[in-house]
């Protein structure tokens, strides 16, 4: 006998979601099952770098699905070979390991650092990470994260992570000991509310890690693939880490992520790392279609210009409504609301057909498609302006 349950109840209740059900997407827009259209400045949490259902990605997936979906990771496949080669050619790294999620890529980075410590640093295993950092939801990546809300969860934590303060070199220096093997950070802390590490701090960290023979690991799952106007955020600081992780934008919407390392850091041996779906051709075909577009200088230039336009419009909006600073880089920006009204704005925006994200109660985060147009940015600003005006009026009524 079939149980009569609401479909919402058949999913584990892991977060509060509005009752909206999305059925279609195109570029910067999504449609729900009632036909209502939404302007999307979340884009799957900075995932859909080419917007919803980009033709190049859809065609690449369809063509690959007809050819070969997976031969097993025990064999080479041509899509993963091509994507690995293209990533290596476009970055400071020599080898790639593909994963299915950002957390899994970071697990891989943590394992690679520990392997490096075992082989080259007398068993050193500790990794310095940062307060406020977010690296994923596996046990090790939650332990690496510096998110307050994770602290009481799933004890005991995986050992070996010590937390420094972002943009405070002395706090990282003070944690270095004989067990330290690496320093790992997001160049812009996204989930924490878009808090950038300064270029000077990143340069100083690079010098510090070189001085002590430590690996420098950048989690560019959110900042990579053009999100900050360059293919990788580390390029802004004019340095290169030893290991980088990519996710989100790399697949243009499909579950693909990657761990990249320099030849010196890439020290896995047979049996150390693997996984059934790692590097499967269906996802790698999507990744190739994305990289082909995103790595074009003209594409990155347009994304940079869109970011500057969004930033200046947000600054004007902030000045009009007496709000705080605009932080971030490229198309990963946050607006400081000064008050804990993020959730209320997000709810009102949803009602008005606009998708916004509030990673912290007092901040809005903007992560549109990298090919978002000026008209779409202007439309978002108009809608947000109207909501903020209403909020201001409501505040005066209190
Ligand atoms: C910087 C960073 N690292 C890691 C992750 C985890 O990636 P995933 O959710 O694909 O496991 C995220 C996801 O938001 C992220 O922003």
């Amino acid at each position: 006998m079939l149980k009569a349950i609401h479909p919402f109840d058949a999913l584990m209740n892991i977060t509060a979601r509005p009752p909206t059900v999305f059925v279609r997407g195109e570029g910067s827009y999504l449609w729900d099952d009632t036909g209502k259209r939404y302007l999307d400045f979340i884009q799957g949490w900075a995932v859909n770098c080419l917007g919803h259902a980009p033709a190049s990605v859809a065609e690449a997936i369809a063509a690959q699905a007809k050819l070969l979906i997976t031969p097993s990771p025990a064999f080479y496949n041509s899509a993963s070979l091509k994507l690995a080669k293209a990533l290596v050619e476009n970055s400071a790294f020599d080898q790639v390991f593909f994963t299915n999620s950002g957390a899994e890529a970071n697990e891989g980075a943590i394992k690679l650092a520990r392997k490096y410590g075992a082989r080259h640093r007398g068993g050193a295993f500790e990794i310095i990470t940062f307060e406020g950092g977010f690296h994923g939801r596996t046990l090790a990546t939650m332990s690496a994260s510096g998110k307050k809300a994770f602290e009481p969860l799933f004890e005991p934590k995986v050992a070996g992570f010590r937390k420094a303060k972002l943009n405070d070199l002395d706090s990282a220096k003070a944690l270095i000991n004989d067990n330290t093997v690496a320093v790992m950070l997001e160049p812009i802390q996204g989930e924490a509310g878009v808090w950038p590490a300064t270029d000077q701090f990143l340069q100083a960290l690079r010098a510090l890690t070189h001085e002590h023979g430590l690996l420098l690991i950048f989690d560019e799952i959110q900042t990579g693939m053009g999100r900050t106007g360059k293919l990788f955020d580390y390029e802004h600081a004019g340095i290169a880490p030893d290991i980088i992780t990519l996710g989100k934008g790399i697949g243009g919407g499909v579950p693909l992520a990657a761990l990249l390392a320099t030849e010196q850091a890439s020290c896995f041996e047979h049996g150390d790392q693997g996984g059934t779906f790692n590097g499967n051709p269906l996802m790698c075909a999507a990744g190739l279609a994305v990289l082909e577009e995103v790595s074009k200088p003209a594409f990155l230039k347009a994304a940079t210009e869109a970011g500057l336009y969004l930033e200046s419009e947000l600054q004007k909006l902030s000045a009009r409504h007496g709000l705080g600073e605009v932080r971030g880089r490229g198309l990963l920006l946050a607006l400081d609301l000064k008050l804990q009204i993020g959730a209320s704005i997000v709810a009102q925006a949803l009602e008005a057909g606009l998708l916004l994200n509030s990673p912290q109660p007092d901040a809005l985060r903007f992560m549109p498609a990298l090919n978002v147009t000026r008209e779409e940015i202007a439309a978002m600003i108009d809608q947000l302006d109207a909501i903020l005006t209403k909020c201001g009026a409501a505040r005066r009524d209190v």
Side-chain angles (χ1 to χ4, degrees):
M1 183 99 165
L2 269 180
K3 284 183 274 182
I5 58 170
H6 191 283
F8 289 168
D9 297 329
L11 284 174
M12 287 194 190
N13 191 10
I14 51 103
T15 190
R17 296 178 171 119
T20 318
V21 179
F22 289 111
V23 292
R24 187 164 78 81
E26 192 182 319
S28 286
Y29 290 95
L30 270 175
W31 283 263
D32 71 15
D33 59 357
T34 69
K36 179 173 168 182
R37 190 176 82 149
Y38 300 78
L39 178 56
D40 187 2
F41 271 63
I42 299 178
Q43 288 288 357
W45 276 337
V47 164
N48 306 312
C49 52
L50 302 175
H52 288 285
S56 57
V57 173
E59 281 158 22
I61 293 173
Q64 186 63 50
K66 285 185 201 151
L67 209 58
L68 173 65
I69 293 180
T70 190
S72 130
F75 304 110
Y76 290 118
N77 72 74
S78 97
S80 80
L81 289 173
K82 280 188 204 157
L83 182 57
K85 184 168 180 289
L87 285 168
V88 164
E89 284 170 352
N90 279 282
S91 74
F93 309 97
D94 301 303
Q95 293 197 312
V96 181
F97 174 74
F98 290 112
T99 67
N100 314 299
S101 70
E104 196 190 357
N106 281 338
E107 278 286 326
I110 292 162
K111 284 171 68 176
L112 190 59
R114 286 190 173 196
K115 181 79 189 186
Y116 185 88
R119 285 183 70 168
H120 303 297
R121 303 265 309 159
F125 63 96
E126 281 185 6
I127 301 179
I128 297 171
T129 58
F130 287 81
E131 290 174 11
F134 180 78
H135 299 295
R137 292 174 180 279
T138 61
L139 279 177
T141 55
M142 285 180 88
S143 307
S145 298
K147 189 175 158 124
K148 276 260 168 281
F150 282 178
E151 277 174 17
L153 301 178
F154 311 119
E155 291 292 303
K157 290 282 182 298
V158 174
F161 298 101
R162 294 167 148 245
K163 310 284 165 20
K165 288 184 172 31
L166 196 69
N167 292 324
D168 179 346
L169 193 70
D170 287 341
S171 74
K173 250 188 214 168
L175 297 178
I176 298 176
N177 63 51
D178 288 348
N179 283 329
T180 312
V181 70
V183 175
M184 175 174 179
L185 79 165
E186 306 157 78
I188 299 175
Q189 290 187 340
E191 291 298 304
V194 187
W195 295 100
T198 64
D199 290 345
Q200 296 87 321
F201 178 68
L202 296 176
Q203 289 154 4
L205 261 190
R206 179 67 285 188
L208 183 72
T209 47
H210 272 150
E211 186 191 328
H212 290 269
L214 308 177
L215 296 173
L216 182 61
I217 305 171
F218 272 23
D219 175 346
E220 290 229 30
I221 284 161
Q222 194 156 145
T223 55
M225 303 310 293
R227 176 61 46 193
T228 67
K230 293 201 184 278
L231 196 51
F232 308 109
D233 188 79
Y234 68 78
E235 297 173 44
H236 291 289
I239 53 149
D242 305 291
I243 295 173
I244 187 178
T245 52
L246 300 172
K248 294 188 182 282
I250 190 176
V254 304
L256 176 68
L259 162 65
L260 282 72
T262 60
E263 192 180 358
Q264 199 217 355
S266 184
C267 59
F268 279 143
E269 294 175 292
H270 289 184
D272 287 343
Q273 188 64 324
T276 302
F277 295 118
N278 297 150
N280 87 81
L282 195 61
M283 299 308 129
C284 288
L288 262 174
V290 169
L291 186 62
E292 211 161 276
E293 273 187 64
V294 169
S295 61
K296 284 184 187 146
F299 183 93
L300 290 170
K301 183 166 174 276
T304 301
E305 284 164 7
L308 289 172
Y309 177 61
L310 175 58
E311 191 175 345
S312 79
E313 290 301 296
L314 286 173
Q315 271 157 357
K316 283 187 224 159
L317 194 71
S318 175
R320 258 199 314 280
H321 293 277
L323 307 177
E325 67 171 353
V326 178
R327 313 184 277 270
R329 197 171 228 166
L331 285 166
L332 178 58
L333 296 173
L335 172 63
D336 178 358
L337 297 166
K338 280 192 169 162
L339 291 170
Q340 312 240 321
I341 52 173
S344 155
I345 290 179
V346 164
Q348 292 179 66
L350 181 77
E351 191 61 37
L354 171 64
L355 300 181
L356 293 177
N357 167 253
S358 170
Q360 297 297 324
D362 62 352
L364 292 176
R365 175 173 48 171
F366 304 85
M367 39 196 167
L370 301 183
N371 53 9
V372 65
T373 64
R374 280 174 82 91
E375 291 71 31
E376 287 159 352
I377 292 172
M380 183 281 289
I381 293 285
D382 281 351
Q383 277 179 286
L384 183 53
D385 197 8
I387 293 165
L388 287 167
T389 303
K390 237 167 67 188
C391 285
R395 256 184 271 153
R396 278 194 299 278
D397 287 346
V398 174

